[in-house]
């Protein structure tokens, strides 16, 4: 097939992302996009993509997109035989836990997360010994072993609800110290934190927020709750990636900054051409391991399959399902 034919056939897809991908770059993506769409049919596969995926993945090949909470919820409803998780490893593990009978693939097994790497199952057992009877709320950005040792999971989208749903005066919240502190500021529940940090969000500073306001008068600043509390305090709003996206859709700010991973503003801006996105951003090196060629290869070779020991998966799933049951 000639390159020009591929370009013609993928032109409607390019139209979706033309505001964020220069035309000259599209030929680099077109062939993989077309191959992935065909492979999805051939393999009976769906692609679940996190909001931090680059626009050609997010808008052109993904079937389901969203924040960690949405991906966990949607993973349970998938009909297809195969799930390709375009995101990091803990997300693929969660999808596997909720779909033990399906094949779950991650295009790069090295796509980790500094939060998930900050704590082990043995650490969680030590915390339980140190604070007997105190429930352990674990952020989904954690390994299956850590989830298995926990009482309930949370995401940045439901952390406050989850903490308050337990009806106790004190909880342990692992492993994100800043998320724990940001939630503690909104509740009477006492929160014992762990010192894990997201390497992307911990780099934002209050001075940077003040400089953004000085340079862009009237700008609305939205921060992810993995940012340090002094950054969240300087922002106009804090919420998960889905919450930030919903805020932009609802409030239609003239000019906005999303204090989060780089691809987020690109992906949201596609739906809001009238909003001016100021784009300081920190790149997540783990999320950026997932590329179109790796997704294509993943479907061609059915790699890398994510597996979890069934007994461990049962225990970890309980924590995720308890979270999903919180209304
Ligand atoms: P959410 O999309 O759930 O807000 O999480 C952000 C994140 O850092 C995922 O790795
Ligand atoms: Fe982990 Fe932060 Fe990257 Fe999300 S953005 S995967 S929390 S390192």
């Amino acid at each position: 097939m000639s390159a020009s034919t591929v370009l013609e056939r993928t032109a409607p897809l390019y139209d979706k992302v033309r505001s964020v991908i220069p035309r000259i770059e599209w030929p680099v993506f077109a062939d993989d996009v077309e191959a992935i769409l065909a492979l999805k049919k051939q393999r009976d596969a769906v692609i679940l993509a996190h909001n931090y995926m680059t626009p050609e993945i997010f808008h052109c090949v993904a079937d389901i997109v969203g924040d960690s909470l949405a991906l966990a919820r949607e993973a349970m409803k998938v009909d297809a035989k195969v799930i390709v998780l375009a995101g990091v490893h803990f997300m693929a593990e969660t999808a596997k836990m909720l779909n033990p009978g399906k094949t779950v693939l991650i295009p790069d097994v090295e796509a980790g997360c500094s939060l998930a790497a900050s704590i082990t199952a043995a650490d969680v057992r030590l915390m339980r010994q140190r604070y007997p009877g105190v429930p352990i709320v674990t952020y989904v950005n954690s390994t299956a072993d850590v989830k298995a040792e926990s009482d309930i999971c949370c995401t940045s989208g439901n952390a406050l609800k989850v903490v308050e749903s337990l009806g106790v005066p004190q909880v342990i919240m692992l492993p994100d110290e800043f998320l724990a502190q940001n939630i503690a500021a909104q509740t009477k529940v006492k929160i014992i934190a762990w010192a894990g940090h997201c390497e992307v969000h911990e780099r934002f500073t209050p001075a940077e927020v003040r400089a953004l306001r000085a340079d862009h008068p009237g700008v609305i600043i939205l921060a992810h709750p993995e940012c340090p509390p002094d950054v969240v305090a300087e922002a106009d709003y804090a919420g998960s990636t889905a919450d930030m996206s919903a805020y932009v859709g609802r409030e239609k700010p003239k000019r906005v900054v999303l204090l989060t991973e780089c691809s987020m503003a690109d992906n949201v801006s596609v739906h809001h051409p009238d909003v001016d996105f100021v784009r300081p951003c920190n790149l997540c090196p783990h999320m950026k391991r997932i590329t179109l060629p790796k997704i294509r290869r993943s479907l061609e070779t059915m790699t890398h399959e994510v597996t979890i020991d069934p007994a461990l998966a049962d225990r970890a799933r309980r924590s995720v399902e308890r979270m999903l049951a919180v209304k």
Side-chain angles (χ1 to χ4, degrees):
M1 272 177 215
S2 73
S4 63
T5 315
V6 173
L7 292 184
E8 275 167 27
R9 286 194 298 270
T10 57
L13 287 169
Y14 177 66
D15 272 351
K16 288 196 196 179
V17 290
R18 61 190 309 153
S19 61
V20 283
I21 299 181
R23 185 172 289 281
I24 197 167
E25 285 180 20
W26 185 246
V28 174
F29 301 126
D31 194 44
D32 285 331
V33 166
E34 193 172 57
I36 290 167
L37 297 180
L39 281 160
K40 281 200 297 183
K41 286 199 187 126
Q42 198 185 317
R43 299 290 196 192
D44 189 16
V46 293
I47 298 179
L48 267 56
H50 186 260
N51 289 329
Y52 295 162
M53 290 295 102
T54 44
E56 70 284 1
I57 296 175
F58 188 89
H59 289 288
C60 301
V61 300
D63 299 285
I64 295 163
V65 295
D67 66 354
S68 308
L69 180 59
L71 294 184
R73 283 195 198 287
E74 294 301 320
M76 294 206 310
K77 302 182 197 156
V78 167
D79 259 348
K81 285 199 194 107
V82 177
I83 296 174
V84 179
L85 202 301
V88 292
H89 197 265
F90 75 79
M91 295 176 175
E93 274 192 337
T94 306
K96 180 64 187 178
M97 266 173 230
L98 297 173
N99 289 281
K102 294 192 195 300
T103 301
V104 174
L105 305 175
I106 183 151
D108 187 328
V109 269
E110 302 289 319
C113 168
S114 64
L115 281 168
S118 73
I119 190 160
T120 64
D123 293 329
V124 185
R125 287 193 290 272
L126 283 174
M127 287 299 274
R128 211 182 267 291
Q129 270 174 26
R130 184 158 171 203
Y131 300 100
V134 180
I136 299 183
V137 179
T138 293
Y139 195 27
V140 286
N141 297 39
S142 53
T143 60
D145 311 36
V146 165
K147 288 184 176 78
E149 295 292 338
S150 308
D151 295 299
I152 187 165
C153 284
C154 74
T155 70
S156 56
N158 64 12
L160 180 61
K161 264 194 198 162
V162 167
V163 165
E164 297 199 328
S165 75
L166 299 173
V168 292
Q170 176 167 258
V171 302
I172 297 167
M173 220 176 144
L174 310 170
D176 188 346
E177 183 176 31
F178 296 150
L179 177 67
Q181 290 170 346
N182 287 321
I183 297 301
Q186 302 170 57
T187 179
K188 289 196 168 75
V189 179
K190 184 170 176 264
I191 295 182
I192 301 160
W194 183 257
H197 298 143
C198 162
E199 67 187 88
V200 175
H201 293 94
E202 71 174 352
R203 299 211 301 272
F204 291 109
T205 64
E208 201 176 346
V209 180
R210 288 193 290 272
L212 282 163
R213 285 205 198 279
D215 292 348
H216 306 279
V219 74
I220 298 296
I221 299 184
L222 314 185
H224 194 279
E226 290 171 9
C227 291
D230 53 2
V231 169
V232 168
E234 297 266 352
D236 297 296
Y237 175 82
S240 76
T241 55
D243 293 337
M244 286 192 232
S245 182
Y247 182 102
V248 174
R250 192 174 62 240
E251 305 292 334
K252 304 200 179 355
K254 259 179 127 148
R255 188 176 269 184
V256 72
V257 174
L258 309 182
L259 295 179
T260 191
E261 211 273 340
C262 307
S263 292
M264 180 73 196
D266 288 345
N267 290 333
V268 180
S269 71
V270 164
H271 297 301
H272 303 287
D274 299 336
V275 177
D276 176 17
F277 287 78
V278 180
R279 301 180 198 217
C281 69
N282 293 333
L283 202 87
C284 176
H286 312 290
M287 290 281 182
K288 264 43 217 191
R289 281 181 173 274
I290 309 300
T291 60
L292 277 184
K294 287 187 196 168
I295 295 173
R296 178 176 179 171
R297 189 158 172 72
S298 176
L299 281 164
E300 280 168 351
T301 59
M302 295 298 282
T303 56
H304 304 273
E305 187 170 352
V306 176
T307 55
I308 314 174
D309 168 74
L312 178 81
D314 284 348
R315 290 168 56 222
R317 187 185 312 113
R318 272 206 315 262
S319 298
V320 176
E321 284 177 347
R322 277 191 199 124
M323 166 187 86
L324 293 173
V326 173
K327 294 287 169 234

